[in-house]
């Protein structure tokens, strides 16, 4: 079998990761690969645009933005003769199927090509342009699409390739604008991409703590000026020092007239006498090195595309990521649904468009409307207090959880207190009232503004905690942190029979870079850590020079290989050494032999990602010595222990958004527990089916205590993918990355 790959339409970061995975997974399964340059235009042009790909063709490209295949808009492909020429070239090149990475337009073109395939063959045979036998018994041409668009406007996937990176770019830019805006008490209007889709603007606003957002899916009647300016005015009166307004490029008045950044600037000038600054982010949103999430997702989608195209079902599909699982949706459905949303927006049926965008989009819009309020909707009611704390070690994104939980609860008149330094503060009564504006600028801060320290909580602390609970009338507790924090909650739970005052509803929110928590597939902080690792490894790669060198990069995670495996996939590492693999000196020698083989075949650089506890008895320095000793001078070995820089820095968009989501759910749940007098501890998490609450005892029962990680770890299923992408291709010279 032989397949072609194209990237088409607007480029997006992550396309290269997909191209790499498609190429290598296909070659691995004995399928030949043709890279076709310049999108559909290249398919029509033929000739030199078709290039035979080997293992190395896709080497060293994982960290590049854009697409090595190039992309183009093609008017000729929109015509019947253009597509006929495409069919002729594809058949002549012996191509049985095509993987198309692109947006709605590109995938619409793919569907037409599929539907017309038989007709084109017959016509070409009649013209004598193709042998008649090809037209008589045509094998169905196989088509698989992958969603490639920073706008994240495609049906059939939760995320499209490029959206996460674009969001991070927006977050970085708005963080910078916020700091200067705050100094000068300025108002900034920031225009982001999204012609018919407000995803980037909406999620960008959640992730940056923006104060107003305008998106194409929302009906903006004549009173939007008034609503926006009133809200901004109230915000300033409440003590806000600056305002950020995010507007999607496709936002429009209900009569269809576009709302540009300048439109908003004028409204602010006329109504508030404010001279707002305008920043149009434009094409920087498309560019840059893909984020860690992007690289892992694109690799998974690429693998799934190959599995599908060599499988039995000829139905053309798009492979997307739905609830963190790859999912094939028929292309007819993808195209029809995408066109439906666009039509609703174009016709001004905003409510229908919003429905078609799905529940989680609407939830985010609702959440944003609460978060942007200048003050809570309800006065403080006499409902006791919720205490909120963060346990150590801290993780980036904790502040997003705190900020959102506080505002969601306080909005309903619920009093919330912050506890300084986790359970130690709770025992000492180190507590203060948290107010709406206290958390205004927390979203982009790393660590925890409440303080998160490691603390050995014992029974002896319980009387102090009881005292605090009584003194502050605390009726519920939200504890944000990792396994240490869960254990501390466990100490409280155990103390219930002796201290009935402790029997209040409690919710653990998962936040640790280690990724080792039960009841969730996502822990807040891990995405930031992963991006920190990926940034570091990208830099390390440049230091290898001409030497034959292997780097052992040690990453955190305690006895859990989540960071190690994800970092391995995202950096294109040659191998990962994970605690789950139960590696021994013997396996280490075998791994070294593999590396030696690779270097002998021409490899210049090797990356080995090693989890901090991959070996119970051997540390990284020991592993380095073994490898160097066994390298037979084929390569040298350096080690790089990333340490605490993995935990630091500004949280990524993903951690801020998921942190906000979990914070909101935790706050709502604990308020309802209090109202209905339910007690007991729970763990909130993000699983396949969305946000779920697991009873505390059940969550703990999922743990493998000896190894301090859950017994079941779904991420381990991607071990095979990492191995496939890294190994030297069949019969090929070893490839880099
Ligand atoms: P995107 O794929 O990012 O949405 P475009 O809408 O520009 O980008 O589409 C990319 C290319 O896909 C177009 O230049 C054209 O060649 C092809 N294409 C788009 N829409 C159609 C269509 N309705 N019929 C045939 N080809 C199309």
């Amino acid at each position: 079998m032989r397949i072609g790959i194209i990237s088409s339409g607007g480029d997006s970061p992550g396309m290269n990761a997909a191209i790499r995975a498609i190429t290598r997974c296909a070659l691995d399964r004995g399928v030949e690969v043709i890279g076709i340059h310049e999108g559909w235009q290249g398919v029509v042009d033929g000739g030199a645009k078709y290039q035979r790909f080997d293992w190395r063709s896709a080497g060293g490209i994982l960290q590049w933005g854009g697409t090595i295949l190039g992309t183009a808009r093609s008017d000729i492909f929109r015509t019947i003769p253009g597509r006929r020429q495409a069919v002729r070239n594809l058949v002549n090149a012996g191509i049985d199927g095509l993987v198309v990475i692109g947006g709605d337009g590109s995938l619409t073109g793919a569907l037409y090509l599929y539907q017309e395939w038989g007709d084109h063959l017959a016509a070409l045979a009649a013209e004598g342009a193709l042998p008649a036998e090809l037209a008589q018994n045509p094998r169905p041409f196989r088509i698989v699409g992958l969603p490639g668009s920073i706008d994240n406007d495609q049906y059939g996937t939760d995320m499209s390739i490029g959206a996460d990176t674009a969001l991070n770019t927006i977050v970085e830019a708005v963080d910078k604008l916020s700091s200067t805006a705050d100094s000068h008490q300025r108002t900034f209007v920031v225009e982001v991409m999204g012609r018919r889709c407000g995803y980037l603007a909406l999620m960008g606003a959640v992730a940056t703590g923006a104060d107003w957002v305008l998106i194409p899916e929302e009906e903006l009647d004549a009173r939007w000026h008034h609503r926006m300016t009133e809200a901004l005015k109230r915000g300033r009166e409440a003590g806000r020092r600056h305002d950020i307004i995010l507007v999607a490029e496709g936002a429009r008045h209900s009569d269809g007239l576009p709302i540009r950044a300048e439109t908003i600037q004028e409204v602010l000038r006329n109504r508030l006498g404010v001279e707002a600054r305008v920043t149009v982010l434009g094409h920087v949103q498309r560019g840059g090195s893909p984020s860690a999430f992007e690289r892992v997702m694109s690799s998974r989608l690429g693998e799934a595309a190959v599995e599908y195209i060599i499988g039995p079902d000829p139905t053309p599909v798009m492979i997307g990521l739905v609830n963190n699982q790859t999912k094939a949706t028929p292309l007819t459905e993808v195209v029809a649904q995408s066109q439906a949303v666009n039509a609703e927006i174009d016709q001004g049926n905003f409510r229908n468009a919003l429905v078609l965008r799905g529940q989680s989009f609407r939830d985010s819009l609702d959440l944003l409307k609460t978060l942007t309020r200048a003050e809570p909707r309800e006065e403080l009611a006499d409902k006791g207090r919720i205490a909120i704390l963060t346990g150590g070690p801290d993780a980036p994104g904790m502040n997003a959880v705190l900020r959102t939980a506080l505002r969601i609860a306080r909005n309903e008149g619920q009093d919330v207190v912050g506890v300084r330094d986790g359970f130690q503060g709770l025992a000492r009564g180190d507590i203060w009232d948290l107010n709406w504006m206290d958390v205004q600028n927390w979203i982009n801060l790393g660590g925890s503004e409440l303080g998160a320290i490691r603390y050995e909580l014992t029974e002896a602390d319980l009387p102090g905690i009881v005292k605090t609970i009584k003194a502050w009338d605390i009726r519920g507790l939200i504890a944000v942190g990792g396994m240490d924090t869960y254990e501390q909650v466990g100490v409280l739970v155990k103390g219930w029979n002796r201290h009935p005052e402790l029997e209040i509803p409690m919710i653990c929110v998962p936040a640790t870079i280690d990724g080792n928590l039960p009841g969730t597939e996502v822990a807040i902080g891990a995405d930031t850590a992963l991006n920190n690792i990926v940034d570091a490894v990208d830099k390390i790669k440049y230091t290898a020079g001409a030497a034959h060198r292997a780097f052992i990069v040690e990453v955190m995670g305690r006895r859990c290989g989540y960071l190690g495996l994800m970092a391995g996939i995202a950096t294109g590492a040659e191998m990962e050494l994970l605690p789950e693999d139960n590696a021994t000196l013997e396996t280490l020698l075998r791994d070294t032999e593999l590396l030696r083989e690779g270097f002998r075949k021409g490899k210049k650089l090797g990356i080995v990602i090693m989890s901090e506890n991959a070996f119970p008895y051997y540390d990284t320095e020991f592993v380095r010595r073994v490898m160097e000793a066994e390298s037979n001078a084929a390569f040298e070995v350096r080690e790089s222990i990333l340490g605490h820089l993995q935990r630091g820095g500004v949280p990524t968009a993903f951690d801020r958004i998921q942190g906000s989501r979990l914070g909101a759910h935790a706050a709502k749940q604990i308020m309802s527990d209090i109202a209905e007098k339910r007690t007991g501890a729970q763990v909130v998490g993000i699983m396949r089916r969305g946000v779920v609450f697991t009873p505390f005892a059940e969550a703990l029962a999922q743990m493998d205590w000896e190894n301090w990680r859950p017994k079941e770890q779904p991420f381990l299923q991607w071990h095979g993918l990492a191995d496939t992408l890294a190994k030297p291709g069949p019969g090929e010279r070893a490839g880099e990355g």
Side-chain angles (χ1 to χ4, degrees), residues 8-10 40 72-74 77-78 83 102-106 108-109 112:
S8 168
W40 287 123
R73 316 262 174 194
S74 171
F77 188 76
R78 289 176 184 273
R83 292 199 287 276
D104 279 347
S106 304
T108 305
Y112 290 165

Side-chain angles (χ1 to χ4, degrees), residues 281-534:
L281 292 185
H283 281 75
V284 293
Q285 293 164 88
R286 258 191 205 300
S289 182
S291 66
F293 175 92
E294 210 78 82
R295 299 181 195 189
V296 174
M297 178 183 81
S298 303
S299 302
R300 292 177 59 198
L301 293 180
E303 179 190 44
V306 171
E307 293 296 342
Y308 188 88
I309 214 166
I310 63 177
D313 187 352
T315 315
V317 293
M318 185 193 84
I319 309 265
L321 197 70
V322 177
N323 294 331
N324 203 19
Q325 291 287 91
T326 55
K327 182 177 177 207
T329 306
L331 215 46
T332 43
E333 193 181 330
V334 171
V335 169
Q337 289 286 346
S338 295
Q339 283 171 355
V341 186
N342 291 346
E344 298 291 7
I345 289 176
D346 289 345
Q347 287 160 22
N349 302 326
F350 299 98
R351 215 155 280 162
N352 297 352
L354 207 50
V355 169
L356 289 172
R357 281 276 179 249
Q359 187 63 43
S360 97
F361 192 94
R362 292 194 299 279
D363 288 349
S364 299
L365 189 56
D366 285 345
L367 173 62
L368 187 82
K369 287 188 172 166
T370 302
L371 294 178
T372 53
R373 296 181 66 91
E375 67 274 310
R377 188 186 58 212
E378 287 174 32
E379 297 275 308
L380 267 185
D382 185 15
K383 299 198 251 190
R385 296 193 176 85
I386 294 175
I388 182 161
L389 61 79
T390 48
D394 55 22
M398 279 181 161
N399 286 320
V401 180
L402 301 176
R403 178 180 193 266
T404 309
L406 174 275
R407 287 205 170 169
I408 289 293
R410 184 60 194 82
N411 197 44
E412 299 192 9
Q414 172 68 57
D415 202 353
V416 179
V417 289
V419 183
R420 198 169 278 118
D421 293 336
F423 284 92
Q424 188 184 43
L426 196 63
R428 291 183 182 165
D430 194 354
I431 277 184
W432 81 101
D433 256 313
L434 266 183
N435 293 312
W436 193 264
M437 276 297 159
D438 294 343
V439 296
Q440 174 66 18
N441 295 331
W442 283 17
I443 190 94
N444 52 14
L445 304 174
S448 162
E449 285 299 290
L450 291 180
I453 54 166
R454 288 180 200 258
Y455 180 65
E456 188 83 25
L457 185 76
T458 64
E459 277 223 35
D461 292 306
L462 297 185
I465 292 180
V466 168
K467 207 170 130 203
T468 311
I469 286 179
K470 279 197 197 150
W472 288 84
D473 190 13
I474 292 170
R475 299 190 197 170
L477 174 71
I478 298 177
V480 187
M483 212 52 226
D484 301 275
T485 305
Y486 287 29
E487 288 212 309
Q488 289 163 333
V489 168
V491 173
L492 261 52
V493 171
K494 268 202 206 123
W496 282 352
N497 43 12
R498 249 185 294 148
H499 306 280
E501 300 89 342
L502 292 177
E503 200 175 344
I504 55 173
M506 302 180 197
I507 293 179
C508 296
V509 181
T512 167
I513 68 164
D514 296 333
N516 61 345
L517 296 177
T520 191
E521 287 184 23
V522 173
I524 305 308
D527 186 65
T528 306
L530 206 51
N531 278 293
N532 287 338
I533 296 169
V534 164

Side-chain angles (χ1 to χ4, degrees), residues 60-98:
I61 62 171
L62 198 52
Q63 65 269 38
W64 294 351
T67 157
I68 56 161
L69 286 175
T71 177
R73 316 262 174 194
S74 171
D75 286 334
I76 187 159
F77 188 76
R78 289 176 184 273
T79 67
I80 297 271
R83 292 199 287 276
R84 187 153 299 164
Q85 182 59 29
V87 172
R88 185 175 174 177
N89 290 338
L90 290 166
V91 172
N92 277 330
I95 292 176
D96 307 294
L98 205 52

